[in-house]
Amino acid sequence: MRRKLAPIYAFTLLLALLTPIFSQSSSINRARFDSARERRIAQAAETLRPQLIAQRRDFHMHPELSNREERTSRIVAERLRALGLTDVKTGVGKYGVTALLVGAKPGATIAVRADMDALPIQEVNDVPYKSQVAGVKHACGHDAHTTVGLGVAEVLSKMRGEISGTIKFIFQPAEEGAPAGEEGGAKLMIKEGAMDNPRPSAIFGLHTLPSIEAGQIAYHSGAAMAASDRFFITIKGKSSHGAQPHTGVDAVVIAAESVMALQTIHSRRIDPQEALVITIGQIQGGRRYNIIADEVK
Ligand SMILES: [Zn+2]
C-alpha cells in the first residue's frame, strides 16, 4: 500500500453508502454536497465515539486467532440483531457473520466488510486494554475494523429511511489465513454463500494504516493491498566430505544461488508497473560444518 493514496474524510464512506450509486452515478455528487446530511452523519459518529472506543478495547483485550473467533463473532451477531438488522447469519465460513440492512427505498445491494481475527504475537504494550490472551494480539488492527463495521451498521441503521437498496454487512474470520489443514477466510465464506441472496454489486472494506492521520481515510484506484502466497522449495543434493566437494552435489550452494535468482522473477518477468515482493523467509539445510549438504529447504 505504498502507492499514491489520497486521504479523504472518513464519513465520505458513509455518504457513499447512502447514495444509490449504481442506479444514478450523478447522485454521488449530490450526496457529497449535502452538507446537512454530512453533518448529521459526522454527529452520529461523534456520539458513538466513547462506545466504539470501549468496544474496540474490549475486542483488543480478547483477541482470537484465525478460525477461532467465537467470542468476537458472537458479540458482532448480538449487536447486529440489537440494531434491527435482518437475516443475521452466523457460522458462515466457520465464525463468519452476515446481516442485511434493507433500506426504505429500492436500489442495489452493496456490502461493508470487516475482518475479525488476531495474530499469534505477544502483546508488550503496557496499556489498560492490553491483550488478556497470552501470545495472541490484535496487531493488525482487525479489532478496529470490526468496531468500524459495527459503527457503520449503527449509524446507518438509524437512517434506514434514506437508504436506497440494501447494505449487506460481512464480518470475516481468518483473514490472516486459516490454520494448516483448515479452510477459511473470504474464500470459505463465499463458498458458503456469503455473496448470494442478495449478491452485492460492490464491497466496501478498509484497513487501518498508522501513517494516515486519525479521522482520514486514503483510497487508491486499482489494487491497494497485496495478496500473499507461500511456496516451499526443497533442493536435493548429494552429501560428501567437505574436503571433497567434487564428489558431492552441494545443496547449500544451489540454495544460495536460487535465493538470488528468484529475485529476477520480479526484475525480469513481471511488468515494472506491477507490485510484487518475493521474500525467502526461512532456510534450513546441512548437517555438519564439514559435510557437503544433501538437502536444503
Ligand atoms: Zn490486517
Side-chain angles (χ1 to χ4, degrees):
M1 200 160 166
R2 286 281 170 266
R3 296 193 192 173
K4 285 168 249 153
L5 288 162
I8 51 172
Y9 289 101
F11 49 80
T12 303
L13 172 65
L14 287 163
L15 287 174
L17 293 171
L18 280 163
T19 309
I21 46 178
F22 299 101
S23 49
Q24 291 167 279
S25 58
S26 64
S27 56
I28 293 175
N29 296 329
R30 211 189 310 141
R32 191 166 290 164
F33 297 107
D34 183 353
S35 58
R37 177 191 273 176
E38 213 168 88
R39 273 199 303 274
R40 266 192 302 129
I41 292 172
Q43 206 163 33
E46 189 56 39
T47 307
L48 286 179
R49 181 194 290 264
Q51 175 193 321
L52 295 181
I53 289 174
Q55 180 64 80
R56 204 284 292 191
R57 291 181 174 177
D58 176 74
F59 286 141
H60 193 85
M61 282 193 281
H62 303 96
E64 294 170 303
L65 291 171
S66 305
N67 274 356
R68 306 289 182 271
E69 306 89 341
E70 187 273 328
R71 179 183 185 274
T72 310
S73 70
R74 180 164 36 82
I75 290 170
V76 165
E78 278 167 11
R79 189 79 203 117
L80 296 176
R81 283 194 192 99
L83 291 173
L85 269 62
T86 52
D87 204 18
V88 180
K89 288 185 183 143
T90 56
V92 185
K94 311 274 184 190
Y95 286 108
V97 180
T98 63
L100 298 180
L101 177 59
V102 182
K105 299 179 231 172
T109 298
I110 57 145
V112 175
R113 171 267 183 202
D115 41 22
M116 302 186 287
D117 52 332
L119 284 160
I121 295 173
Q122 178 62 41
E123 170 108 84
V124 290
N125 297 337
D126 192 15
V127 288
Y129 50 91
K130 186 175 176 172
S131 168
Q132 294 181 359
V133 184
V136 185
K137 178 193 176 185
H138 269 296
C140 201
H142 300 187
D143 48 346
H145 303 168
T146 306
T147 307
V148 168
L150 290 176
V152 171
E154 181 148 0
V155 171
L156 295 183
S157 69
K158 287 164 186 153
M159 304 178 83
R160 198 186 299 261
E162 296 171 57
I163 295 172
S164 305
T166 297
I167 300 160
K168 177 177 264 189
F169 286 88
I170 300 173
F171 289 85
Q172 182 203 308
E175 190 278 339
E176 303 289 358
E182 292 182 27
E183 287 186 274
K187 207 172 173 183
L188 185 60
M189 284 197 85
I190 293 166
K191 193 171 150 187
E192 297 190 4
M195 297 294 281
D196 309 321
N197 302 319
R199 182 175 182 81
S201 314
I203 299 185
F204 292 83
L206 58 79
H207 203 293
T208 54
L209 191 65
S211 56
I212 304 287
E213 278 207 30
Q216 293 192 325
I217 61 171
Y219 68 94
H220 181 260
S221 139
M225 305 290 281
S228 76
D229 288 306
R230 55 188 77 182
F231 60 89
F232 302 90
I233 299 173
T234 301
I235 294 164
K236 291 196 182 292
K238 185 180 165 221
S239 66
S240 66
H241 193 284
Q244 298 176 328
H246 59 292
T247 62
V249 177
D250 193 344
V252 165
V253 170
I254 298 168
E257 291 193 5
S258 303
V259 167
M260 301 313 290
L262 284 166
Q263 296 303 326
T264 63
I265 294 174
H266 188 199
S267 65
R268 287 298 172 270
R269 305 273 307 196
I270 303 293
D271 182 337
Q273 304 289 333
E274 294 282 322
L276 174 76
V277 172
I278 297 173
T279 299
I280 312 297
Q282 212 176 6
I283 186 162
Q284 287 159 350
R287 281 182 275 176
R288 204 185 133 85
Y289 76 99
N290 63 349
I291 298 175
I292 298 294
D294 63 346
E295 188 174 280
V296 175
K297 289 183 179 179

